[in-house]
Amino acid sequence: EDKVVQSPLSLVVHEGDTVTLNCSYEVTNFRSLLWYKQEKKAPTFLFMLTSSGIEKKSGRLSSILDKKELFSILNITATQTGDSAIYLCAVGEVYFYYGGSQGNLIFGKGTKLSVKP
Amino acid sequence: DGGITQSPKYLFRKEGQNVTLSCEQNLNHDAMYWYRQDPGQGLRLIYYSQIVNDFQKGDIAEGYSVSREKKESFPLTVTSAQKNPTAFYLCASSPDSSSYEQYFGPGTRLTVT
């Protein structure tokens, strides 16, 4: 059975700390791995990773994928209270059928990050 | 502004009633999705649609129904057959079915008593 596992499920840190969130996966037809940030409502897109070893960076956030070991990490440096959210990892998988294909996302349960002032 | 809208934000229903959640997008995306989110469960796929007049069941389709009569609209009906309908429902869209970057609406929180 395909699955995406995130750890830890919840984390409490203080402002200024650096955190690492983990996502491991077992998916049959892997195509991509995505990270989303969910504060109160809609998840917002952070990164999409398709190649191993290439770090993607956006401000204090960065992420890297290891397709050999089947995991990704999301790093947040110098955390701020505004980083408090649920971080979702999702793996893009393709299904093949006669005449076409369909890409779907399989989500992990998320990591709830709380940053205390 | 381009985006995905869901309405209403909060919905309360009595057990045994069907209820329809709205999802509209003006991004000109072909593919649309419905997810359910429960505490500690992550997002689970209910239904998805690659193109107008076509839709497929996801992992937890039982007790739900959808339609895709227009490209912009993908309403979800939660029927009385759904055993645990209270949840947060998220609609998403992507440019096409091979694109993995999905854009999410603000969600509808449904409470059934």
Side-chain angles (χ1 to χ4, degrees), chain A residues 31-32 34 36 38 41-43 45 48 88 92-94 97 101-105 107-109, chain B residues 9-10 33 35 37 40-43 45 48 50 88 90 97-98 100-106:
Chain A
R31 286 296 181 267
S32 59
L34 293 88
Y36 285 87
Q38 185 178 24
K41 296 177 181 174
F45 173 79
M48 182 164 72
L88 296 169
E93 180 190 43
V94 64
Y97 54 89
S101 63
Q102 164 69 30
N104 279 342
L105 289 181
F107 282 84
K109 294 183 178 182
Chain B
K9 286 185 183 177
Y10 301 95
Y33 309 82
Y35 293 92
Q37 187 175 33
Q41 288 294 321
L43 273 66
L45 183 65
Y48 63 94
Q50 296 176 271
F88 187 54
L90 283 161
S97 59
S98 62
Y100 295 98
E101 188 176 336
Q102 295 181 11
Y103 298 82
F104 285 84

Side-chain angles (χ1 to χ4, degrees), chain A:
Chain A
E1 186 180 328
D2 293 343
K3 60 182 181 181
V4 177
V5 178
Q6 292 187 246
S7 63
L9 290 181
S10 67
L11 188 55
V12 180
V13 301
H14 287 94
E15 270 192 317
D17 288 349
T18 293
V19 297
T20 298
L21 309 184
N22 303 289
C23 178
S24 64
Y25 61 91
E26 291 179 37
V27 170
T28 307
N29 293 310
F30 174 90
R31 286 296 181 267
S32 59
L33 187 143
L34 293 88
W35 285 97
Y36 285 87
K37 177 182 181 182
Q38 185 178 24
E39 291 180 81
K40 288 260 187 331
K41 296 177 181 174
T44 52
F45 173 79
L46 294 174
F47 299 111
M48 182 164 72
L49 305 151
T50 54
S51 301
S52 266
I54 299 174
E55 185 183 53
K56 293 228 172 169
K57 206 166 164 62
S58 175
R60 295 176 294 102
L61 276 67
S62 64
S63 183
I64 198 161
L65 173 66
D66 185 328
K67 287 166 77 172
K68 184 180 173 189
E69 300 297 329
L70 308 182
F71 77 91
S72 172
I73 59 172
L74 175 68
N75 276 325
I76 308 175
T77 59
T79 51
Q80 302 170 358
T81 54
D83 295 326
S84 296
I86 296 174
Y87 290 84
L88 296 169
C89 171
V91 171
E93 180 190 43
V94 64
Y95 295 97
F96 295 99
Y97 54 89
Y98 180 75
S101 63
Q102 164 69 30
N104 279 342
L105 289 181
I106 303 168
F107 282 84
K109 294 183 178 182
T111 293
K112 184 176 180 181
L113 174 65
S114 299
V115 181
K116 304 290 186 191

